[in-house]
Amino acid sequence: MVDATNGADFSRVDVASITKTFKLQDRIFFFMTLASAALVVLMLLAILVVLVIDALPTFQTFGLSFLWGTVWSAPTDHYGAVPAVLGTLISSLIAMLIAVPLSFGIAIFLTELCPGSLRRPIGTAIELLAGVPSIIYGIVGLFVLVPLMQLYILPFLIATIGQVPVIGYLFQPPAPGVGLLTASLVLAIMVLPFITAITRDVFLTVPPMLRESAYGMGMTTWEVARNILIPYTRRGLVGGVMLGLGRALGETMAVTFVVGSVTRLQASIISPSTTISAQIANTFGEADGLQLSSLIALGLLLFILSFCVLALAKWMIGRSDSF
Amino acid sequence: MEDTIRQNIMSRRYGRNRLMMTLSVVAAGLGMFFLAVILGTLLYHGISSLSLDVFTMSIPAEGSRGGLLNAIYGTAMVTFFAILIAAPIGILAGTYLIEYANGSKLAEAAKFINDILLSAPSIIIGVFVYGAIVVPMRGNSAIAGIAALALIALPVVNRTTQDMLLLVPNALREATAALGAPRWKSMTHVIYRSAWTGILTGILLAVARISGETAPLLFTAGYSKFMNAGFTGPIATLPVAINTLAADPGEDLKRLAWAGALIITVAILAINILARLMGGRRQ
C-alpha cells in the first residue's frame, strides 16, 4: 500500500486482487468473531444440557418431590433438596442483613464524610478485600472466627436470645462454633466490599448540583443521604444488592469450612448445617449413582436460583435512570 | 415558645445526624478491621511457615520435609493455559458483539448469556466440567482443570472487551474505513491498540480471579502430592492444596496450608494492584 501511494506507477497495482484478498481476510475475521461469540452461547447451553441429563435419574426416582423432600440420607439412598436449599437461602439472607447496612454506611462515609486524601486509600483497600480468594475467607473463618463463636458469642446468644419464646428456637444448642450463623458472618464479610464498591459508584452518579442544593437548604449529611442519595439511586442500589446476593448464594469455599456440613432440617441457625454448594463440595468426590445425580440436581437448582437473582438485578439496573 | 420548638427540632436533627454519621464511620472502621484481621492472620501464620523448602519440594507426608512446589507449578500451569484459551476467544467474542452485531436482539441476548456465565456459581462450572470431561476421561486431569478455569475466565474477558471497545471513539473506525483499510486491519491495527490497556487490565483481573479459584478445581484438576508436569494426570493447585492441607490433623501440613494461603493471596493482590495501576494510567 505504501509503495502504491508513493510510487508513480499505479498500473502495477492489481486493485481487484487486493480487494479480493481483503474481502477474504475480512470474512475470515468476521467468522472468527462470530464463532467465538457463538461458543460463549453454546457453553451455557452445554452446561444446562449436562446438568439436566446428569440430574435426570434423581427426578425419575423422586419426581418433583425431590424439591420438597426434607430428608437427605445416603444410607437409605433417599434425597430431598430442602435442607441444603434452605441453608443456602437462610445463610445468604442473614449475610445480606449484615452486609447491606454496613456497605451503605461505608459508601456514605466514602462519598460524604471521608477527607479527600483518605478516600482513595480506603476505597482501594476495600476493593482489595474483594480480590482475596474465597478459600482464604474460609480458613481465616475456620481458625479465627469459629473459636470466637464457640467460646464467647454463641454461648452468649443461647443464654440471652435463646431463652426468649419463639425466637429462642433459632438459637438452640448444639453450638460447636461451626454453623449457619458463622457461615453467614463469613459471607457477609465476603460480599461487603463487593456491595460497597457498587454503592459508592452509584452514589457518585448523583449530580453534585442536587447534592449541593440539599446541603444549601440546610440538610444534615444524614438527611442528604437518606432523602437525596438513596432515593435517587435506589434502583442501582437494589441491583447492586442483588448482585451481592447472587455471590452469596453461590459461594462455596468460604462456607464449606465453617458451616459444619450436617444435612438435617433444623430450626437452630447456630447449629451445624449445610448449603447447596457446601453439600456439593463435601460429598461430590465420594458420591456415585443416585447420590451423585441428586447433588447435580442441587447444582441445577443453585444455577436457576442465581440466574433468577441476576435477571432481577439486571431488570432493576436496566430500569434505573441513574445507573 | 417557637424558639424552643425550633431548637428541639434542630437538636433532634443534629443528634440523629451525629448518630448516623458515627455509625457510618464505625462501618468503615469495621471494613478496615476485617481487612487487617485477614491480612494479619495470614502474615502471622504464613510468614512463620515460609521456608525455602516451600518453593523447592513437593507436598510431603506428615512428619517429613516438603513444600508446595507441585501445587505452585500446578496453579501457574493451569492458570496459564486457561487464560491462553479464554483470552483470544473472549476478545473475539466481545469484538463480534460490539463491532458487528451491536444493538441487534441477538447480540443483546448473547450479552445477557455472557453475564449469566459471569455470575454463575463457580462450583457449577466444576460440576459441568466433571460431567463433560472428567467422566469421559475416567479421572481428574490438568486438562479438566484448564477447561473449568477457561470457562470462568472467558465471560470476564468477553465483558471487559465489550466495555473497552465501547469506549473507542467512532471517529477512529470511520477514519480507518476512509483510508480504505479492511475491517480486520482496522481492528488489529487501530481499534485494539486504542483499547489495549483496558483489555489487558481485564485479562489480568481474570488471571487474579481464576488463580484463586478452589471450588471448580476440586473435582476437575483434583489433587496430587507429586509433581506432575503433564496434562492428563491429576494435578495439585495451591487453593486445592490449601483446602486439603488445612483439613489435615497434622500440624506441619496445616503450617504448609498457611504458607500456601499467604503465597496465593500476596500473588493475587499483586496482580490486582498491577491491573489497577495499568487501568489508572489510561485515564
Side-chain angles (χ1 to χ4, degrees):
Chain A
M1 288 256 295
V2 176
D3 278 353
T5 45
N6 287 347
D9 191 4
F10 282 96
S11 60
R12 280 215 221 133
V13 180
D14 184 355
V15 177
S17 89
I18 288 183
T19 316
K20 221 170 139 189
T21 326
F22 279 176
K23 270 199 173 141
L24 182 69
Q25 288 165 333
D26 256 357
R27 278 187 100 83
I28 294 173
F29 185 74
F30 171 77
F31 280 114
M32 275 165 66
T33 64
L34 178 63
S36 302
L39 187 70
V40 175
V41 176
L42 282 179
M43 276 301 152
L44 183 80
L45 288 179
I47 292 175
L48 283 175
V49 167
V50 167
L51 288 183
V52 167
I53 288 179
D54 287 351
L56 219 50
T58 296
F59 288 104
Q60 278 167 348
T61 313
F62 304 119
L64 283 179
S65 74
F66 173 74
L67 297 179
W68 51 83
T70 53
V71 177
W72 182 283
S73 153
T76 61
D77 219 21
H78 196 279
Y79 305 101
V82 171
V85 172
L86 217 54
T88 292
L89 292 178
I90 295 175
S91 60
S92 302
L93 183 75
I94 300 176
M96 297 315 280
L97 286 179
I98 300 167
V100 169
L102 274 179
S103 307
F104 283 18
I106 299 175
I108 292 173
F109 174 78
L110 282 176
T111 52
E112 303 300 314
L113 296 177
C114 183
S117 57
L118 278 178
R119 201 165 281 178
R120 255 185 81 94
I122 295 183
T124 311
I126 297 221
E127 281 163 29
L128 285 184
L129 199 55
V132 174
S134 60
I135 188 156
I136 304 299
Y137 286 92
I139 60 168
V140 172
L142 179 64
F143 290 106
V144 177
L145 188 62
V146 168
L148 220 60
M149 296 292 281
Q150 184 188 7
L151 294 177
Y152 305 106
I153 300 173
L154 294 182
F156 173 76
L157 287 177
I158 293 170
T160 52
I161 314 178
Q163 308 305 319
V164 180
V166 187
I167 310 175
Y169 283 114
L170 298 176
F171 297 90
Q172 291 304 318
V178 291
L180 221 46
L181 187 64
T182 315
S184 308
L185 287 178
V186 174
L187 274 181
I189 297 173
M190 261 203 85
V191 295
L192 179 73
F194 191 69
I195 304 178
T196 303
I198 298 180
T199 309
R200 182 199 56 185
D201 290 348
V202 290
F203 278 173
L204 288 176
T205 63
V206 175
M209 198 80 88
L210 205 59
R211 194 191 302 255
E212 276 159 24
S213 322
Y215 279 120
M217 286 178 62
M219 278 193 181
T220 62
T221 314
W222 166 243
E223 285 162 348
V224 171
R226 173 78 189 69
N227 301 317
I228 307 294
L229 295 186
I230 293 179
Y232 188 86
T233 57
R234 63 185 181 280
R235 289 194 194 284
L237 289 182
V238 175
V241 169
M242 292 305 239
L243 288 178
L245 177 62
R247 285 217 149 176
L249 288 173
E251 177 47 43
T252 308
M253 297 324 290
V255 174
T256 306
F257 271 91
V258 297
V259 77
S261 302
V262 170
T263 321
R264 195 181 56 225
L265 201 61
Q266 55 195 350
S268 176
I269 57 167
I270 56 176
S271 298
S273 181
T274 193
T275 66
I276 295 178
S277 46
Q279 182 81 3
I280 298 176
N282 271 322
T283 53
F284 200 87
E286 296 98 52
D288 54 6
L290 197 55
Q291 189 184 5
L292 188 67
S293 168
S294 301
L295 285 173
I296 294 174
L298 275 185
L300 187 63
L301 287 183
L302 179 63
F303 199 22
I304 294 171
L305 209 59
S306 80
F307 165 77
C308 292
V309 170
L310 174 79
L312 214 57
K314 285 241 148 209
W315 184 66
M316 282 291 184
I317 295 175
R319 282 170 20 131
S320 154
D321 316 317
S322 53
F323 193 78
Chain B
M1 176 71 175
E2 258 184 32
D3 274 359
T4 50
I5 291 175
R6 186 173 298 153
Q7 244 166 16
N8 272 344
I9 292 176
M10 287 306 269
S11 72
R12 206 166 56 218
R13 287 176 56 205
Y14 284 124
R16 174 168 296 174
N17 185 51
R18 204 164 302 141
L19 175 71
M20 296 317 282
M21 289 310 113
T22 314
L23 287 179
S24 154
V25 174
V26 169
L30 264 178
M32 295 291 103
F33 173 72
F34 293 145
L35 184 65
V37 166
I38 291 170
L39 291 184
T41 311
L42 274 182
L43 288 174
Y44 174 76
H45 289 288
I47 288 187
S48 62
S49 314
L50 276 184
S51 65
L52 201 60
D53 283 357
V54 170
F55 298 97
T56 54
M57 296 168 81
S58 289
I59 298 170
E62 174 67 19
S64 48
R65 275 180 70 192
L68 290 167
L69 178 64
N70 61 326
I72 294 173
Y73 168 80
T75 286
M77 183 257 216
V78 173
T79 305
F80 174 77
F81 283 105
I83 209 72
L84 199 65
I85 296 169
I89 299 179
I91 292 175
L92 287 173
T95 306
Y96 177 78
L97 294 179
I98 296 303
E99 300 292 328
Y100 289 102
N102 199 18
S104 73
K105 281 235 164 65
L106 210 65
E108 289 311 308
K111 282 178 193 167
F112 184 58
I113 284 175
N114 188 65
D115 286 352
I116 297 175
L117 276 181
L118 191 61
S119 71
S122 59
I123 191 151
I124 303 289
I125 307 291
V127 170
F128 162 67
V129 172
Y130 176 86
I133 297 183
V134 175
V135 172
M137 279 183 65
R138 291 162 198 277
N140 295 331
S141 63
I143 292 181
I146 291 169
L149 292 190
L151 201 48
I152 291 172
L154 175 61
V156 180
V157 179
N158 185 353
R159 180 63 195 263
T160 327
T161 307
Q162 291 173 32
D163 292 346
M164 290 308 135
L165 287 180
L166 278 176
L167 290 180
V168 176
N170 253 335
L172 273 182
R173 297 188 180 90
E174 286 157 7
T176 46
L179 284 173
R183 200 79 181 264
W184 70 272
K185 225 169 196 170
S186 144
M187 284 309 301
T188 50
H189 284 63
V190 179
I191 311 295
Y192 284 148
R193 276 192 194 181
S194 123
W196 193 236
T197 43
I199 295 176
L200 209 57
T201 304
I203 294 176
L204 275 180
L205 289 176
V207 168
R209 163 135 189 228
I210 60 175
S211 55
E213 282 286 0
T214 316
L217 293 176
L218 286 173
F219 350 105
T220 56
Y223 176 70
S224 159
K225 281 185 178 178
F226 311 105
M227 191 70 184
N228 168 21
F231 284 97
T232 47
I235 190 169
T237 49
L238 265 179
V240 176
I242 296 168
N243 181 47
T244 312
L245 298 173
D248 198 282
E251 278 310 310
D252 288 351
L253 294 185
K254 233 172 227 150
R255 282 161 53 86
L256 214 49
W258 283 112
L262 181 64
I263 295 172
I264 192 74
T265 308
V266 168
I268 288 176
L269 290 187
I271 298 174
N272 265 311
I273 290 170
L274 186 70
R276 205 167 290 276
L277 288 178
M278 281 192 41
R281 214 174 40 195
R282 191 188 39 190
Q283 281 142 18

